Amino acid sequence: MTSTISVFGVGKVGITLISAMLNKNMRVIGVDKNKTLLDDIKNKNYNSDEPGVQKILNKKIELLTVTNKTSLAIKKTDFSFVIVPTNSNDLGGFSNKYIIQVLKSISKAIKEKKTYHTISIVSTIIPGSSEFELIPLVEKISGKKANRDFGFCYNPSFIAQGEIMKGIVTPDYVLIGENSKKSGKITEKVHKKILKENVPIVKMNCTEAEITKIASNTHETMRVSFANMLAQICNEMPETNVDSVTNALSFRLGKRFFKGAVPYGGPCWPRDNIALSGVLNSVNLDDTIPRVVDSYNLWHGDKIIELISKKLNKSSSVGVIGLAYKVGTNLIDKSFSLKICNKLSPKVKSIVGYDPLASSNFKSEFNSSIFKIANDIEECFKNDICIIVQPINGLEKINYLKYKSTVIFDLWRVIPEKTSKKINHYFGFGISINKNKNYKRKRNILKLTK
Ligand SMILES: NC(=O)c1ccc[n+]([C@@H]2O[C@H](COP(=O)([O-])OP(=O)(O)OC[C@H]3O[C@@H](n4cnc5c(N)ncnc54)[C@H](O)[C@@H]3O)[C@@H](O)[C@H]2O)c1
């Protein structure tokens, strides 16, 4: 086996995986159809904002060759990762269109090859894709037999935007769906070169791995939604704080993805439950669980906006802190701030938003005449209402007591209780402002105890 690896799709995930390999002095051939991107990499004009990537590229770029020629990459390597987009389609599934484009050209190239070539698909795909569509396609075009003549694995990564390198080098585990023991072993060997020590490697067949990947993401959203439901209850039930509840539950249920706050967003999570629902329907099974997680997430956001709306009027000025879909990224796909701004803009006088990474992406998506980007985080507090949508860095330095007349909505409860108690108009979402005495829904609750 040659030590050079080829990577098809030099996007956000592809370039990070490439950098992880360069960092271990492995030679890599990156293949992409985007010529501008390839020229930028060749001319050292490429800039990655993914932590850890740029430094490695600057140092090790001579180990990387980039090209749009599949035949060259397949000739010079015996192992290929495929990391191209799998966009959602009209049925809520993930289209294999770009994977098929890549596999068609790889198959033509391996037809001419005498040695064993292993293909490892990293992109998120619908369960059944490898067995029903991708492996038969490679066999048909190459005229070769899977396992005997070429290897095939489904090998997704568990990564988060802003932490992709961490997810590649120190993941919780590496998941390898193997079409044969041989291809699984080869894929494992490649990963072991880039992994930090003691990362578990879990192998199974391709369909099981495809189910595992989509199950991982949808289970995480289910936990987020469950914690959000608890935050809604505690927001309403007198004298409660959701953090007391989730912190206790964490001893039994774990801490991850378990803090009641805003609805989840981003390019992956929202689409995964829709896809799982499609998978269940396609095999004639009930899809209530993923459908409900998705619709609960939408309701949860609407309910928070309804609570905020009660405090504003046509002359209100609003500050919004944290514009990306989460902290540490510039992506605004399905960001809660975008939903807030879209819903509030017809109802208020002005909105000012702050985010250290996502301001320009946000401004190009939400180009309302009443919206502007704040010069600094403090500017958001100089309004009638300030909404802390994401717990971004810098909030810990604010002297909140300066903003006596601002109504502060703290959706993650970032302001310490000691301080929040001194703020005139503080609403920590998930902390009830109702008092036991005279609670208007007491009678409804007591009906349940009869
Ligand atoms: N970004 C994430 O956080 C994340 C997390 C988990 C999984 N994934 C999966 O990884 C995959 C890639 O994600 P990404 O964020 O890197 O996407 P991206 O859009 O940043 O990059 C994809 C790259 O593939 C290239 N490409 C498309 N078709 C091609 C073809 N026929 N030949 C060669 N190159 C081609 C594009 O030009 C682009 O550079 C997706 O399937 C996604 O579901 C992404």
Side-chain angles (χ1 to χ4, degrees):
M1 182 180 161
T2 67
S3 55
T4 308
I5 304 292
S6 47
V7 175
F8 288 77
V10 188
K12 285 185 285 291
V13 184
I15 195 71
T16 314
L17 178 61
I18 289 172
S19 305
M21 293 192 278
L22 300 181
N23 199 33
K24 293 290 172 179
N25 296 319
M26 296 161 73
R27 289 194 170 273
V28 183
I29 301 181
V31 187
D32 204 288
K33 64 178 183 182
N34 180 344
K35 239 187 133 279
T36 317
L37 169 75
L38 299 180
D39 287 342
D40 282 348
I41 296 174
K42 270 187 215 160
N43 301 330
K44 301 185 180 164
N45 282 335
Y46 179 84
N47 284 313
S48 168
D49 48 26
E50 199 52 48
V53 172
Q54 195 63 46
K55 214 170 140 193
I56 299 172
L57 285 178
N58 293 345
K59 232 166 103 185
K60 304 277 173 110
I61 196 77
E62 76 285 357
L63 297 171
L64 174 65
T65 306
V66 286
T67 178
N68 57 3
K69 299 214 165 22
T70 301
S71 53
L72 176 110
I74 297 300
K75 208 162 137 189
K76 297 220 159 151
T77 69
D78 290 327
F79 187 95
S80 304
F81 284 114
V82 177
I83 322 177
V84 291
T86 46
N87 300 332
S88 294
N89 59 27
D90 294 345
L91 295 173
F94 304 146
S95 169
N96 285 337
K97 183 171 105 182
Y98 297 118
I99 298 187
I100 288 171
Q101 278 176 8
V102 170
L103 287 184
K104 277 184 175 168
S105 59
I106 290 181
S107 305
K108 282 183 197 150
I110 61 175
K111 191 175 187 171
E112 312 301 326
K113 226 176 143 172
K114 297 268 181 298
T115 48
Y116 194 87
H117 195 97
T118 301
I119 302 163
S120 188
I121 308 286
V122 179
S123 312
T124 308
I125 56 178
I126 289 290
S129 293
S130 297
E131 287 298 330
F132 298 148
E133 188 167 38
L134 306 180
I135 297 170
L137 176 89
V138 180
E139 287 186 324
K140 188 170 165 216
I141 297 177
S142 68
K144 297 197 172 192
K145 192 97 195 84
N147 186 12
R148 189 190 68 197
D149 306 321
F150 69 90
F152 188 99
C153 285
Y154 176 57
N155 181 208
S157 25
F158 296 93
I159 48 182
Q161 293 290 334
E163 300 177 319
I164 300 182
M165 183 61 88
K166 189 173 153 220
I168 287 172
V169 180
T170 55
D172 298 324
Y173 69 110
V174 172
L175 176 62
I176 300 178
E178 55 187 16
N179 178 252
S180 63
K181 291 274 170 256
K182 181 173 174 180
S183 57
K185 265 191 193 152
I186 293 171
T187 305
E188 175 175 359
K189 216 168 142 188
V190 175
H191 277 282
K192 281 202 163 148
K193 289 185 188 167
I194 49 178
L195 286 173
K196 290 250 162 77
E197 274 167 36
N198 300 329
V199 174
I201 296 194
V202 183
K203 292 187 199 159
M204 54 187 71
N205 69 35
C206 291
T207 310
E208 287 167 338
E210 289 158 355
I211 295 171
T212 306
K213 168 64 184 170
I214 198 167
S216 179
N217 285 11
T218 50
H219 186 92
E220 286 157 14
T221 58
M222 200 165 67
R223 279 177 66 81
V224 171
S225 288
F226 197 88
N228 285 345
M229 177 191 74
L230 297 176
Q232 291 281 3
I233 295 179
C234 291
N235 201 62
E236 180 62 36
M237 290 286 269
E239 296 177 27
T240 56
N241 182 330
V242 66
D243 291 325
S244 308
V245 179
T246 52
N247 288 344
L249 288 171
S250 297
F251 286 106
R252 194 166 161 87
L253 306 175
K255 275 191 167 49
R256 286 172 90 183
F257 313 112
F258 210 54
K259 182 157 175 93
V262 299
Y264 59 81
C268 295
W269 273 358
R271 73 185 198 135
D272 289 332
N273 279 296
I274 296 167
L276 180 59
S277 157
V279 173
L280 288 160
N281 285 329
S282 71
V283 290
N284 226 5
L285 296 173
D286 183 85
D287 67 343
T288 306
I289 294 177
R291 234 171 354 92
V292 164
V293 174
D294 182 59
S295 59
Y296 187 82
N297 192 50
L298 297 173
W299 176 86
H300 176 66
D302 289 341
K303 181 71 187 173
I304 294 176
I305 294 171
E306 185 190 310
L307 295 170
I308 296 169
S309 298
K310 286 184 184 157
K311 296 284 166 198
L312 44 81
N313 58 49
K314 278 273 178 205
S315 64
S316 300
S317 62
V318 180
V320 176
I321 294 174
L323 304 175
Y325 83 91
K326 65 166 201 162
V327 171
T329 175
N330 62 5
L331 295 184
I332 53 149
D333 311 44
K334 303 257 182 339
S335 106
F336 188 43
S337 287
L338 200 51
K339 182 167 179 168
I340 291 177
C341 289
N342 276 316
K343 292 240 173 162
L344 296 193
S345 59
K347 301 180 186 167
V348 298
K349 188 183 75 189
S350 64
I351 306 179
V352 58
Y354 177 79
D355 192 296
L357 300 173
S359 296
S360 64
N361 281 352
F362 196 89
K363 181 77 185 146
S364 43
E365 180 71 26
F366 183 70
N367 58 3
S368 158
S369 58
I370 66 156
F371 178 75
K372 75 172 187 104
I373 294 292
N375 293 319
D376 55 43
I377 195 166
E378 298 261 356
E379 205 178 322
C380 293
F381 288 96
K382 296 172 188 163
N383 289 285
D384 300 318
I385 289 174
C386 178
I387 312 164
I388 302 173
V389 184
Q390 298 295 344
I392 62 173
N393 281 342
L395 285 166
E396 67 288 352
K397 295 192 192 119
I398 304 284
N399 176 7
Y400 294 100
L401 304 183
K402 262 182 12 197
Y403 303 105
K404 289 199 179 355
S405 57
T406 308
V407 176
I408 299 177
F409 282 94
D410 181 2
L411 303 185
W412 287 81
R413 302 166 302 284
V414 291
I415 304 177
E417 200 180 336
K418 228 169 106 192
T419 313
S420 70
K421 281 194 167 150
K422 293 184 200 151
I423 300 174
N424 289 346
H425 311 283
Y426 175 80
F427 295 92
F429 175 64
I431 304 173
S432 178
I433 54 161
N434 296 318
K435 295 281 170 247
N436 277 323
K437 218 172 141 197
N438 304 327
Y439 177 53
K440 63 179 180 190
R441 296 200 171 90
K442 189 163 33 178
R443 277 179 57 182
N444 292 347
I445 291 172
L446 290 177
K447 277 186 204 161
L448 295 173
T449 69
K450 295 288 176 267

